[in-house]
Amino acid sequence: MSTGIRGGSLQALPVGKRWQLRLDELIIESNEQRLVTDLVGQVNAGGEVILNTMKPTPVNPFLVLLPLFTSDTADDDVRDLDPKGQLATLQLQLRPTGLAMTAKLIDVSWQQHGNIPGVDAIDVGIHWSKNQGVVNVFARDGVIHADNLLPDNITLNDLRARIYIYRPPGSQKETAGWVVSYDDLQLDTDQFSLSQSLRLDTATSDLSLMTQVQGMPLKQASKLFPAPLMGQNTSAYLTGALTGAGDIAQANILWHGQPRYFPFNDNEGVFQAAVELQQADFLFADTWPALTQADIALWFENDSLTMTSPAARLNGIEVTNLEARIPHLASGAHLLIKAQGAGTGEQLTTLMVNSGLQNSLGMVLDKHVQVSGPVQASLDLDIPLGGDKVVASGRARLQGNNVHIASVGLTLDEAQGEVRFINENINTDGLTGQLFGQPVTLDVTGGMDETAYQVDIGVAGDWQVQPLLAYLNPEFNDYVSGHSPWQGNVTLQLPDSGFSYSASIQSDLTGIYSSLPAPLAKSTADIMRLALTSQGDQQASTIHAKLGQEVIFDGILPHAQMQFSRAHLALGNTDFDGLGMGFSISATLPEISANQWYDTVQLLLNSGADKPPPPAADSGGLPVRGLTQADCHCLACPSACLFRRHRCSSLASSSTGWTLPRNRTI
């Protein structure tokens, strides 16, 4: 592209050793742009030429004047910006040693192009000599056009800068570029204020930049996110996350390197930005409560982002040691969050109820497995910034908590151990506690199946029998003693409403002594296997128990009344099913001691040892003592009566005690 004079008229008048010059309607063309102006000046005897403009002139300032200082190949870099302005004053000095110039441009503007912002209403003062110059920039009440790079254009309140342009020291003029630098650019806008220093080598594209952004409300931060550079998903995520209360205390930005090598995977340069947030709200996921009262340090390094906070609150839980990372600010980026927390079981439940796990783990903690007392917890979140499902995992440390399993009415006291979860899936590690006042170990797993949340509980203990009898029937303390290991399993199905369960308990009863009548009698060394199973729902439970080979109990327990509506105790190999209304006993044994069994039945029915025997009843010719309309006793718990005013079968009598003939069924 050529630059030259295309027309004008020249008047020259000798004055002493100088010539006075006047150029009218001088036409200078460059890059398809035209400058028309009037000049006056002089030429002295040494060949020095001085020219001055006479009036302001509309001009495309860069495209006309740029070829005076650079090669034509640089013109194309500026052409797309379409700069405009008005040349207010211009003084040129043409000396044998080089060109000097002083100019003032007003109302300078250029369009944004790509990621280069556009501006308007800038005043520019240029002072140039040979291969170096100073450009003073001033603007007030203008607009920075940056909606290609940022969400919106920015209202400019004030801009001041002194820019130095020079050839690199020792460079060859034919091949060297220019160095552009400034030390203290000051920019004030409606959204933010900043100061900046910069050095750019146009020959190598090496850029060094330091920017300090002053404090601003946090909700304004999203207006500064360059989505094309940091990724649309990352920009959209941070825009949604940083829209609450809080302030940006300050931000510092450092850049060193050639932009074409970003993100500097091979250490060609570095980009770092440190942003301090105070008392900020951070909504890390739409389906989770926001972090509040957080002092967060954001650290951008190349294409990664790290956020740390010493303390914050999450739905009432005190959060410490928060760390969040976006390893790569690009398409498909993930935010990884780690945090420690301290609160109560109730606060942890409220958090899960208000999280993306509200229909699974939240529902379980709220309705079925209720934890009370202080809890230490950790939380890990993997949040895809593209909007896919959040993966939440964590650990909760129980330290003497009470855990109430509402569905089956059991409370685990003094719980110790760790509960882990990945989304709705839970498991435990080293979980122990007190059940009915005695120690147990538990192994708990949970997760969603096709129709309900399922919890599987493995439980084991080695219990003394006397404390257990205190819950069942203390009157058996005179007959049963010792301790024995046992194991059990409980499976809970927890749909949106109601529940169902199945449970089993096994023990060989080694270590238990019983002086009850056979077949309930045993020594501590005897093995007598106990197997108990139960299943039911919110309405009722069906219970089956087998003790050794000769004792079987079956019962149906409605939960509303908490007493058996039907129950049958079978002794020996009897084919009598029972389970009619009330309580029944059947026996097929070689021999039974009626006196002992009378006392045992009295214990079962809680008749009291000091009461006189009930009157005899007619049983078809056999001398018997009848047991009728007996009061029951609570065997399961103080509110769960097993038998209440049920009729028992008759016992035969002999002169030596209460016995039954061989194979007699009662």
Side-chain angles (χ1 to χ4, degrees):
M1 297 181 183
S2 61
T3 300
I5 298 175
R6 298 293 182 254
S9 62
L10 171 65
Q11 300 179 42
L13 178 66
V15 177
K17 294 183 179 181
R18 303 189 306 273
W19 285 86
Q20 298 284 348
L21 302 177
R22 180 185 177 99
L23 292 168
D24 294 315
E25 295 186 358
L26 177 66
I27 302 173
I28 301 175
E29 287 188 351
S30 176
N31 297 318
E32 301 178 359
Q33 303 293 319
R34 173 176 289 193
L35 168 63
V36 180
T37 188
D38 299 330
L39 299 174
V40 296
Q42 64 180 15
V43 179
N44 63 23
E48 181 183 47
V49 179
I50 299 176
L51 297 173
N52 295 279
T53 57
M54 297 176 62
K55 61 183 178 180
T57 303
V59 65
N60 184 323
F62 297 101
L63 288 180
V64 174
L65 300 178
L66 194 63
L68 298 175
F69 315 106
T70 66
S71 65
D72 287 343
T73 58
D75 298 348
D76 292 337
D77 299 332
V78 181
R79 176 181 296 275
D80 291 330
L81 299 176
D82 190 23
K84 293 181 173 62
Q86 189 174 55
L87 181 62
T89 62
L90 172 66
Q91 183 182 72
L92 295 173
Q93 285 185 315
L94 300 174
R95 300 172 180 172
T97 56
L99 170 70
M101 179 191 71
T102 298
K104 183 175 182 180
L105 302 168
I106 59 176
D107 291 331
V108 174
S109 66
W110 63 84
Q111 297 179 358
Q112 66 174 322
H113 175 66
N115 292 331
I116 300 175
V119 295
D120 59 18
I122 293 180
D123 293 344
V124 180
I126 303 174
H127 303 277
W128 192 268
S129 178
K130 299 179 182 178
N131 292 326
Q132 60 187 5
V134 177
V135 179
N136 293 311
V137 177
F138 171 79
R140 179 170 290 170
D141 300 329
V143 176
I144 299 175
H145 300 276
D147 55 3
N148 286 351
L149 186 66
L150 304 176
D152 297 297
N153 296 327
I154 298 173
T155 299
L156 187 153
N157 298 327
D158 188 77
L159 170 65
R160 300 173 186 270
R162 174 169 289 183
I163 304 171
Y164 299 92
I165 304 174
Y166 55 91
R167 294 282 190 185
S171 62
Q172 298 295 322
K173 181 177 180 180
E174 293 77 10
T175 59
W178 296 88
V179 174
V180 180
S181 69
Y182 52 80
D183 292 328
D184 192 21
L185 179 146
Q186 298 290 328
L187 174 63
D188 179 61
T189 75
D190 282 355
Q191 288 80 32
F192 62 93
S193 297
L194 63 80
S195 61
Q196 186 179 82
S197 59
L198 173 145
R199 185 183 187 278
L200 171 65
D201 189 330
T202 63
T204 62
S205 298
D206 283 331
L207 173 65
S208 297
L209 179 146
M210 173 66 79
T211 303
Q212 292 181 316
V213 182
Q214 298 178 11
M216 58 187 292
L218 180 62
K219 60 184 179 182
Q220 300 283 359
S222 62
K223 297 181 179 180
L224 304 180
F225 295 152
L229 299 182
M230 66 193 310
Q232 293 291 344
N233 289 338
T234 303
S235 175
Y237 173 80
L238 291 176
T239 296
L242 300 173
T243 56
D247 296 290
I248 296 178
Q250 63 177 357
N252 296 302
I253 302 170
L254 170 69
W255 175 287
H256 181 74
Q258 299 179 25
R260 61 180 172 147
Y261 291 128
F262 183 79
F264 308 128
N265 293 324
D266 295 323
N267 298 317
E268 305 94 338
V270 63
F271 163 69
Q272 294 177 339
V275 183
E276 295 183 14
L277 310 182
Q278 292 182 340
Q279 293 298 293
D281 291 348
F282 185 78
L283 183 63
F284 52 82
D286 290 340
T287 55
W288 284 75
L291 283 168
T292 59
Q293 304 175 29
D295 293 337
I296 303 177
L298 280 72
W299 178 257
F300 294 85
E301 184 163 13
N302 297 335
D303 65 341
S304 68
L305 168 61
T306 300
M307 294 175 279
T308 59
S309 176
R313 298 197 71 82
L314 179 60
N315 210 81
I317 295 176
E318 182 180 349
V319 176
T320 58
N321 301 323
L322 171 69
E323 179 179 327
R325 295 185 63 247
I326 302 178
H328 299 286
L329 296 170
S331 177
H334 283 233
L335 173 64
L336 308 176
I337 298 178
K338 294 179 179 293
Q340 305 292 321
T344 65
E346 294 84 355
Q347 289 174 324
L348 179 62
T349 297
T350 301
L351 171 62
M352 293 304 171
V353 167
N354 290 287
S355 76
L357 304 178
Q358 60 182 325
N359 295 324
S360 53
L361 186 56
M363 179 270 294
V364 172
L365 291 175
D366 185 41
K367 297 181 179 179
H368 301 286
V369 183
Q370 297 158 354
V371 181
S372 60
V375 174
Q376 298 286 332
S378 66
L379 178 65
D380 294 353
L381 296 171
D382 184 345
I383 304 172
L385 303 189
D388 295 331
K389 183 179 180 181
V390 175
V391 177
S393 60
R395 301 166 183 260
R397 185 70 185 175
L398 303 181
Q399 298 175 309
N401 302 82
N402 292 337
V403 181
H404 180 63
I405 305 175
S407 304
V408 293
L410 294 178
T411 297
L412 181 68
D413 299 315
E414 301 179 22
Q416 303 273 353
E418 190 172 79
V419 180
R420 299 184 293 250
F421 70 91
I422 301 178
N423 285 349
E424 70 274 9
N425 300 306
I426 64 171
N427 62 77
T428 60
D429 183 26
L431 184 59
T432 63
Q434 296 283 322
L435 186 62
F436 296 119
Q438 300 202 63
V440 291
T441 60
L442 300 101
D443 184 14
V444 180
T445 60
M448 289 295 298
D449 63 15
E450 295 181 358
T451 59
Y453 194 91
Q454 179 172 310
V455 180
D456 294 303
I457 305 172
V459 58
D462 189 342
W463 280 7
Q464 293 286 340
V465 71
Q466 276 82 8
L468 182 61
L469 291 176
Y471 287 93
L472 301 178
N473 188 338
E475 296 185 30
F476 277 95
N477 281 334
D478 295 335
Y479 302 89
V480 183
S481 62
H483 67 91
S484 182
W486 60 274
Q487 305 82 37
N489 292 279
V490 180
T491 297
L492 293 170
Q493 290 283 337
L494 306 174
D496 292 338
S497 61
F499 72 93
S500 62
Y501 82 95
S502 61
S504 63
I505 295 175
Q506 302 85 33
S507 175
D508 60 14
L509 300 185
T510 54
I512 297 295
Y513 169 79
S514 172
S515 62
L516 292 170
L520 301 179
K522 70 177 296 292
S523 70
T524 56
D526 291 341
I527 294 176
M528 181 179 289
R529 300 191 184 279
L530 170 66
L532 185 149
T533 61
S534 177
Q535 59 186 13
D537 54 23
Q538 66 271 20
Q539 302 298 327
S541 295
T542 300
I543 298 173
H544 175 81
K546 184 176 182 181
L547 179 62
Q549 298 298 318
E550 296 184 308
V551 180
I552 295 176
F553 173 82
D554 291 285
I556 298 176
L557 180 66
H559 296 161
Q561 295 77 28
M562 286 308 295
Q563 67 182 48
F564 283 94
S565 61
R566 303 168 187 266
H568 179 68
L569 177 63
L571 305 175
N573 187 19
T574 174
D575 56 2
F576 181 73
D577 293 333
L579 290 187
M581 291 300 296
F583 171 57
S584 60
I585 301 176
S586 65
T588 302
L589 297 168
E591 184 176 274
I592 188 170
S593 172
N595 281 339
Q596 291 181 336
W597 266 104
Y598 173 79
D599 293 338
T600 300
V601 172
Q602 290 290 79
L603 288 175
L604 289 173
L605 301 179
N606 196 24
S607 63
D610 296 332
K611 292 184 179 181
D618 184 3
S619 62
L622 287 173
V624 298
R625 182 167 294 175
L627 301 176
T628 62
Q629 302 295 318
D631 292 333
C632 78
H633 181 65
C634 298
L635 292 184
C637 68
S639 63
C641 292
L642 296 182
F643 319 116
R644 189 173 300 241
R645 302 189 65 82
H646 296 307
R647 185 180 301 275
C648 297
S649 300
S650 299
L651 298 177
S653 173
S654 71
S655 60
T656 59
W658 297 97
T659 62
L660 279 177
R662 186 177 181 86
N663 297 328
R664 177 67 171 173
T665 299
I666 63 170

